[in-house]
């Protein structure tokens, strides 16, 4: 039995020997080669010898005489005549593959190439084959590139292949790399070079087993002759950028195939030396900025390079789960092989001068041969929408309410416009601004525009009602700041359930008139805002706790509960993440959520409502992830797999910044309670602004709890189950009674001012002054 040292030495020697990749050629008519082969046969135990030279010659003779029907006996006789005085073992070349201990007898290069490429006629003419034999192609990245390289070798549509990859074969690579388990731990360039050598030992292959980097990139492109085409299949985005910068400098075209939907990207820098890299999709990104990013952090750049809209639904699903339930982006063997063949085909046509333009192309096999026959329908379901208020409808409702009531003091229309403009700065879920105002008959009517707040995530549109309460609070404060006193009559009204409040001017108050709770807060009405910026966690000052609680409690029945311990906040982050996850993966909840998002400045300005993406203060990775969540086709698989844990990350990041998380409650669930709860939240928020505290609402979870507790209508079974499981954990953090209303869940933090504030609809759009208004 060998000692450990001797065995280790032998294993090391064996590993070193396995690094061989060039086959050795022996021509027995050359005496030196004959002696070397004889020595090899003596020294290599177990050498496997394969000699099918006669069969190759028969094949050659038949190929050269395609119109003849040559029998086996006649073919062997022709071989004898063809060889003449040359012994069969001296004809052609003996090829030794040291990594496999195989010795193979082959036709020599000219006849080998002739026979191996003969059946390419007339797909490739001899003249075209000769032109291709002079072409040099470089392949960077051999997870996908291996298939491209070996396919080019099969066709012999290239004369030289340069291979670059620093990586070695892992077991997890065998889902897409055609190799054997005995190659685990072996360099991918060696594996690919050996594959090519076993297909064609005469093809020139040049290896860069440390990959390409700043010191050897130019050599890879130029040494031994400039590449005719560069194939980029590497994973490193910074290398992708550097490849293109250098290739463009030397006017070398670049091709990339993604193996997802077979997206093929062609950049003809040879014909367009000033062409923007990646067609201008990535802008001016410095490679050094992204060299050391995590896989998740690379996603925004991947989306720019590939294009979110071009990705398959399953790839989008996978991207959402990266560094949550999977390590990195997946690739299927069938897609790699399919894409590798497509890339090899395009490279061949580029080298023949048949394809002379840049572009992006999708050769998606699932689109070409879909799972289901085309139906002609797009499968889009319209969300149910409540009719909007019309001017005529508001006036009729106002007239019904005003019957048998005494006349009210007239309002100057300009005063109403001023007050409504301030009131419209109040917060509302998703910045939906669910209000319409009517000045008629000396009264200012506030209507609930239920069409703007009715959603699956807002049970009975009660969140919209809370927004109306906040707007009413703002209106009264603004009036007091102008020396006015208002009477406020609030709903519910059985006759007009969506008439939220009616304001009447009172005679000018005297010195003894009771002030508003805190009239000085009127000065911050236009400054209050949602602040979603993440920051370092700061301790929750007890004085701040007391001030916010007192502000809320100034409205009868309102109560604030806070969580501020590290363990409790971590638990709450998980729960809020569960709510986010369900809201995104559920089809209807998803559509309703993204109906609120504005993706461009033009879209935000056109609607002046909803949430402009920039105001979410997202990192590039989180923004990319949110954008992918619009792909509801991809979310089907997440629902099927009960997946989507990666969708919880945003909540974890947000709550990591929290000094505390608060829950504003009212005694009962009802429209009147949520209206007064809205008044309380506005008072609390205004006080928070004076204390330089950042407030960020996170109310989706309690509102979904409320729907689930009232039967869960509209929610999926999975969502109801997830919410039911999360509810006891939530009530351990916030010990609320079953009958209580949970009006607002929010983060309190200390952060810099937000990047921007949400826009508001113009007064002319939300306020109508009736002919009987003043």
């Amino acid at each position: 039995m060998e000692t450990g040292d001797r065995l280790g030495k032998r294993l090391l020697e064996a590993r070193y020997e396995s690094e061989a990749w060039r086959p050795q050629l022996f021509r027995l008519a050359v005496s030196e080669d004959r002696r070397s082969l004889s020595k090899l046969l003596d020294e290599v135990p177990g050498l496997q010898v394969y000699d099918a030279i006669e069969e190759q010659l028969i094949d050659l003779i038949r190929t050269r005489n395609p119109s003849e029907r040559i029998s086996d006996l006649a073919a062997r006789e022709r071989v004898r005549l063809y060889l003449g005085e040359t012994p069969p073992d001296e004809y052609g070349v003996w090829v030794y593959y040291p990594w496999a201990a195989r010795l193979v007898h082959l036709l020599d290069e000219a006849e080998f190439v002739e026979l191996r490429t003969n059946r390419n006629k007339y797909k490739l003419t001899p003249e075209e084959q000769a032109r291709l034999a002079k072409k040099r192609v470089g392949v960077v990245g051999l997870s996908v590139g291996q298939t491209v390289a070996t396919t080019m070798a099969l066709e012999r549509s290239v004369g030289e292949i340069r291979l670059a990859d620093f990586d070695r074969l892992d077991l997890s690579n065998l889902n897409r790399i055609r190799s054997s388990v005995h190659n685990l731990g072996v360099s991918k360039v060696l594996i690919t070079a050996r594959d090519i050598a076993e297909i064609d030992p005469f093809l020139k292959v040049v290896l860069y087993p440390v990959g390409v980097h700043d010191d050897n990139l130019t050599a890879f492109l130029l040494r031994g002759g400039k590449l005719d085409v560069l194939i980029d299949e590497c994973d490193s985005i910074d290398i992708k950028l550097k490849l293109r910068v250098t290739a463009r400098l030397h006017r070398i075209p670049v091709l990339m195939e993604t193996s997802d939907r077979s997206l093929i990207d062609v950049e003809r820098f040879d014909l367009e030396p000033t062409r923007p890299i990646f067609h201008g999709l990535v802008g001016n990104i410095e490679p050094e900025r992204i060299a050391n990013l995590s896989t998740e952090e690379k996603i925004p750049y991947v989306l720019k390079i590939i294009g979110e809209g071009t990705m398959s639904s399953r790839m989008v699903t996978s991207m959402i789960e990266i560094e949550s339930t999977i390590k990195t982006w997946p690739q299927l063997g069938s897609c790699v092989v399919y894409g590798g063949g497509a890339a090899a085909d395009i490279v061949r046509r580029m080298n023949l001068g048949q394809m002379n333009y840049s572009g992006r192309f999708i050769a998606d096999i699932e689109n070409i041969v879909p799972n289901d026959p085309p139906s002609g329908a797009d499968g889009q379901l319209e969300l149910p929408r409540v009719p909007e208020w019309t001017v005529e409808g508001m006036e009729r409702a106002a007239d019904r309410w005003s019957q048998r009531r005494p006349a009210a003091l007239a309002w100057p229309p300009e005063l109403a416009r001023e007050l409504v403009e301030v009131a419209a700065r109040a917060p509302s879920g998703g910045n939906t601004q669910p209000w319409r105002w009517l000045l008629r008959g000396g009264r200012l009517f506030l209507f609930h525009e239920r069409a703007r707040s009715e959603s699956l995530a807002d049970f009975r549109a009660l969140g919209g009602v809370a927004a109306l309460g906040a707007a009413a609070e703002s209106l009264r404060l603004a009036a007091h700041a102008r020396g006015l006193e208002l009477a406020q009559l609030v709903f519910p009204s059985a006759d007009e359930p969506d008439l939220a409040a009616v304001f009447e001017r009172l005679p000018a108050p005297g010195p003894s008139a009771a002030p508003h709770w805190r009239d000085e807060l009127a000065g911050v009405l236009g400054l209050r805002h949602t602040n979603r910026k993440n920051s370092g966690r700061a301790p929750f000052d007890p004085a701040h706790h007391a001030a916010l609680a007192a502000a809320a409690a100034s409205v009868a029945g309102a109560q604030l509960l806070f969580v501020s311990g590290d363990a409790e906040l971590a638990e709450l982050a998980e729960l809020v993440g569960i709510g986010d996850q369900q809201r995104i993966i559920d089809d209807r909840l998803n559509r309703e959520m993204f109906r609120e998002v504005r993706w461009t400045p033009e879209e935000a300005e056109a609607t002046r409502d909803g949430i402009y993406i920039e105001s979410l203060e997202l990192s590039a990775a989180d923004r990319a992830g949110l954008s992918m969540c619009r792909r509801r086709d991809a979310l089907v698989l997440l629902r099927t797999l009960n997946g989507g844990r990666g969708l919880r990350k945003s909540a974890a990041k947000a709550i990591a910044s929290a000094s505390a998380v608060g829950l504003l409650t009212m005694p009962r669930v009802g429209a009147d309670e949520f209206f007064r709860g809205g008044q309380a939240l506005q008072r609390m928020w205004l006080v928070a602004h004076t204390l330089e505290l950042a407030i960020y609402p996170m109310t989706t979870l309690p509102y979904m709890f409320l729907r689930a507790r009232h039967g869960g209508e509209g929610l999926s079974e999975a969502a109801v189950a997830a919410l039911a499981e999360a509810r006891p954990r939530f009530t351990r953090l916030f010990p609320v009674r079953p009958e209580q209303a949970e009006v607002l869940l929010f983060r309190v933090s200390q952060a810099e001012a937000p990047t921007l504030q949400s826009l508001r609809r113009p007064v002319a759009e939300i306020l109508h002054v009736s002919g009987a208004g003043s």
Side-chain angles (χ1 to χ4, degrees), residues 226-268:
K226 186 172 77 170
L227 290 180
D228 293 286
V229 179
L230 170 63
I231 300 174
D232 166 30
E233 298 297 343
C234 71
D235 293 332
S236 300
I237 300 174
D238 57 315
I239 298 298
K240 286 181 176 290
L241 293 171
K242 290 178 180 179
L243 285 172
R244 283 161 176 77
V245 169
T246 312
R248 183 173 62 180
L249 177 66
H250 296 290
R251 303 187 68 162
I252 298 172
V254 178
L255 180 142
M256 176 183 71
E257 196 282 331
T258 67
S259 78
D260 178 64
R261 299 190 69 203
S262 194
L263 169 66
I264 299 165
D265 191 283
V266 178
E267 295 166 279
R268 294 302 302 259

Side-chain angles (χ1 to χ4, degrees), residues 113-114 116-133 151-158 344-345 347-354:
V113 172
E114 176 191 352
R116 204 171 78 74
T117 62
N118 180 270
R119 296 191 184 186
N120 291 350
K121 293 180 180 179
Y122 290 91
K123 290 267 191 168
L124 286 174
T125 67
E127 185 273 338
E128 288 173 332
Q129 199 85 59
R131 287 171 59 193
L132 292 172
T151 303
M152 290 189 297
L154 284 172
E155 286 187 352
R156 217 173 204 277
S157 55
V158 65
D345 179 274
V347 169
R348 182 189 69 243
R349 289 187 283 127
M350 290 170 65
N351 278 331
L352 289 174
Q354 297 169 347

